[in-house]
Amino acid sequence: MPQTRMRDVPVLETERLIMRGFDRANFPNFAALLADPIVVKHIGGKPVSREDAWRKYMSLDGSWNLLGFGAWDVFERNSGTYVGYVGFSEFLRQTVPSIDGRPEIGWVLALEAQGKGYATEAAKAAMAWGLPRFNGARPVCLIEPNYPATYRVAEKCGYVKHALTKYNGLDMLLMEYPA
């Protein structure tokens, strides 16, 4: 199977992490992450099938070609252990207020990687890369209001509460990066 790519995804490095573009060889880690019922409890609530995980993987990777930004697989720098993923997309979610046309950041970490500050570290690196490239568009994030860990990550990255909204029938907190 060809491994050619139409774009280059920047490699981001932090003190403890390496963030790289998606690679087919890493898909099993991604699929296992989204199949973990504890990991997905606050991001839809249901484990994701391998087929749906593949669609999501391709979608997030395809954002680079369509939008000029996307997501990264995240690994521990020293061990090479898969941590999860972080990045941006534009999901065209139907929310009030509308977030169409705005980059939306998200992160999902493996259970064993949670509680170590990796989400904040990776999201801050993604923000540092993205903000100069978004032409003034203020990124947003949509989080479950009763999930304090995700709220703290968003807050540490500079996001502020913008509105309570509904998405897929669930109450959600819309946070945005201030102007």
Side-chain angles (χ1 to χ4, degrees):
M1 191 129 341
Q3 293 295 319
T4 58
R5 294 188 179 268
M6 296 174 58
R7 75 332 182 217
D8 292 318
V9 176
V11 174
L12 304 183
E13 297 187 32
T14 69
E15 183 180 330
R16 302 179 298 162
L17 304 172
I18 295 177
M19 300 163 58
R20 296 191 295 254
F22 286 4
D23 184 308
R24 186 179 184 128
N26 194 52
F27 172 70
N29 288 318
F30 183 91
L33 179 73
L34 295 183
D36 185 325
I38 297 170
V39 169
V40 299
K41 180 180 179 183
H42 298 285
I43 57 167
K46 296 177 186 166
V48 176
S49 71
R50 182 174 171 80
E51 179 181 347
D52 288 341
W54 180 243
R55 281 191 194 98
K56 184 170 184 75
Y57 203 64
M58 288 192 303
S59 171
L60 289 169
D61 187 55
S63 293
W64 288 102
N65 284 333
L66 293 173
L67 304 171
F69 54 82
W72 293 267
D73 276 327
V74 181
F75 302 87
E76 288 180 340
R77 179 190 286 273
N78 292 334
S79 69
T81 301
Y82 182 68
V83 169
Y85 70 94
V86 66
F88 302 97
S89 196
E90 187 179 324
F91 295 112
L92 303 179
R93 297 182 199 265
Q94 301 300 302
T95 61
V96 176
S98 174
I99 57 176
D100 279 0
R102 295 174 71 182
E104 182 180 336
I105 193 169
W107 51 86
V108 179
L109 268 65
L111 194 56
E112 28 321 315
Q114 294 178 13
K116 298 179 179 181
Y118 288 161
T120 300
E121 191 172 327
K124 282 183 174 182
M127 290 294 296
W129 178 89
L131 284 174
R133 291 165 175 82
F134 294 150
N135 299 320
R138 292 182 296 154
V140 297
C141 61
L142 196 62
I143 63 174
E144 184 182 297
N146 298 318
Y147 192 31
T150 297
Y151 178 80
R152 282 192 304 274
V153 171
E155 200 173 46
K156 288 177 186 177
C157 291
Y159 286 83
V160 296
K161 291 180 185 178
H162 179 62
L164 288 175
T165 188
K166 292 254 187 212
Y167 179 68
N168 285 342
L170 300 173
D171 291 328
M172 300 297 282
L173 176 61
L174 176 59
M175 297 183 75
E176 72 178 357
Y177 196 80

